[in-house]
Amino acid sequence: MRCDVITLFPEMVAPVLESSMLKRAREKGLLEVRVHNLRDYTLDKHKVADDVPYGGGAGMVMKAEPIFRAVENIRQPYERHGEQVRLLLPSPQGRPFTQEYAHQLAADSRPLLILCGHYEGIDERVRVALKPEEISIGDYVLTGGELAALVLIDAAARLISGVLGAPESLAEESFSEPLLEYPHYTRPAEVRGLSVPEVLLSGHHEAIRLWRRKQALRTTQERRPDLLKDRELTLEDRRLLDEIIREGVRYAGVCGGGG
Ligand code: 4GX
């Protein structure tokens, strides 16, 4: 996966790419990300990349010309090799980002070029001329597109074969399925008087599989019933869900949390 990021704040992006799994993916050559400072594409001596909005009002708008120059300069070497780039623009007005969308980005052979808007946004003429694919990572407002760009890169990169340790951790994970995760435990067997469910220490693989399946179904039923609605259930899942319903609600769900 190849990715170029255009931003006025490269320092917001670079450290995340130099940590954890994304760092390792880059070291393995599975992920290539280059961060470009939009200021480098300005032409005036003060390197101005934003300006006040026509018509007045609060905030600043990113100027069109530096963005055009950045996109053209970054695209050029790819196009000389006969490659099209996929231009992405994180924005609350974009198409909602989902796990399926992440798969689609990961599977695309084209390099991704992510344009990060900051402040109030970008001059509308950039949208008109370059027709970027607008993506929203959720219905809330960020200070800029940088964190959203990192979300896109992170979610897509981990789907590339070889980025995660074991391939099965991808196959059985939530949202590919889509079920929420079952609870995880690691050593010691008791901490602060809290123990690990007996079945996980039993070594009975089938009993463990069923327990995990049931927990995943329980959490999904309680917190995200929308994920189970209109879904074909196997006989096994149906039976586990019946048990769960008979046992009653154990987790207060979103009502008891921040919601
Ligand atoms: N999911 N923001 C982008 C500035 C902006 C506005 C319009 C381009 C066009 C966001 C989100 C998000 C805040 C990033 C506004 N840039 N991005 N920024 N939610 O809130 O993706």
Side-chain angles (χ1 to χ4, degrees):
M1 180 171 147
R2 292 164 300 166
C3 189
D4 290 89
V5 179
I6 300 172
T7 172
L8 275 175
F9 301 92
E11 69 277 13
M12 273 185 86
V13 181
V16 177
L17 302 169
E18 284 151 26
S19 318
S20 184
M21 306 299 291
L22 294 183
K23 177 186 182 171
R24 281 212 271 157
R26 294 174 79 194
E27 286 168 354
K28 289 190 214 167
L30 299 169
L31 173 69
E32 261 174 49
V33 192
R34 289 179 302 171
V35 183
H36 308 267
N37 192 336
L38 185 59
R39 272 190 208 291
D40 297 340
Y41 298 91
T42 55
L43 287 170
D44 62 304
K45 79 167 178 196
H46 294 109
K47 299 182 187 271
V48 177
D50 58 305
D51 206 339
V52 295
Y54 273 122
M60 299 294 275
V61 176
M62 286 169 64
K63 292 167 72 63
E65 190 56 32
I67 296 176
F68 286 136
R69 283 170 44 82
V71 170
E72 282 160 4
N73 271 272
I74 295 161
R75 264 179 176 169
Q76 221 171 50
Y78 290 118
E79 286 180 347
R80 271 201 295 265
H81 288 85
E83 285 193 294
Q84 284 292 114
V85 306
R86 184 169 177 179
L87 181 62
L88 308 178
L89 178 66
S91 150
Q93 293 156 62
R95 184 179 141 203
F97 189 57
T98 60
Q99 188 64 14
E100 189 190 330
Y101 208 152
H103 275 280
Q104 215 228 329
L105 293 184
D108 202 322
S109 61
R110 288 173 294 178
L112 307 177
L113 175 47
I114 310 180
L115 175 57
C116 301
H118 220 86
Y119 315 115
E120 303 314 303
I122 61 174
D123 190 304
E124 183 64 16
R125 290 165 291 188
V126 170
R127 276 203 183 98
V128 170
L130 301 179
K131 298 180 183 60
E133 186 177 327
E134 292 185 47
I135 309 183
S136 169
I137 64 157
D139 291 338
Y140 38 76
V141 183
L142 304 169
T143 56
E146 288 78 9
L147 293 174
L150 290 170
V151 167
L152 306 182
I153 294 167
D154 189 273
R158 66 185 289 288
L159 297 173
I160 299 165
S161 168
V163 169
L164 296 187
E168 61 267 26
S169 58
L170 256 192
E172 52 178 56
E173 88 181 0
S174 138
F175 287 106
S176 297
E177 172 113 76
L179 274 191
L180 299 184
E181 285 265 284
Y182 54 77
H184 302 279
Y185 295 86
T186 189
R187 284 179 289 189
E190 194 185 305
V191 64
R192 312 240 171 162
L194 301 169
S195 54
V196 175
E198 204 64 46
V199 63
L200 298 179
L201 310 173
S202 69
H204 293 133
H205 301 299
E206 180 60 8
I208 291 168
R209 187 189 66 78
L210 274 174
W211 182 87
R212 285 178 168 165
R213 187 79 195 167
K214 183 171 172 181
Q215 298 306 313
L217 285 163
R218 184 200 305 281
T219 313
T220 309
Q221 169 67 29
E222 287 173 1
R223 301 189 199 186
R224 293 290 307 277
D226 57 296
L227 295 178
L228 291 175
K229 203 161 81 63
D230 308 324
R231 187 155 159 246
E232 287 283 355
L233 292 176
T234 61
L235 181 60
E236 179 181 280
D237 283 354
R238 190 63 254 158
R239 284 183 176 151
L240 290 170
L241 261 177
D242 285 343
E243 280 179 34
I244 290 159
I245 289 160
R246 269 187 269 112
E247 287 163 18
V249 174
R250 286 180 178 177
Y251 171 76
V254 288
C255 307

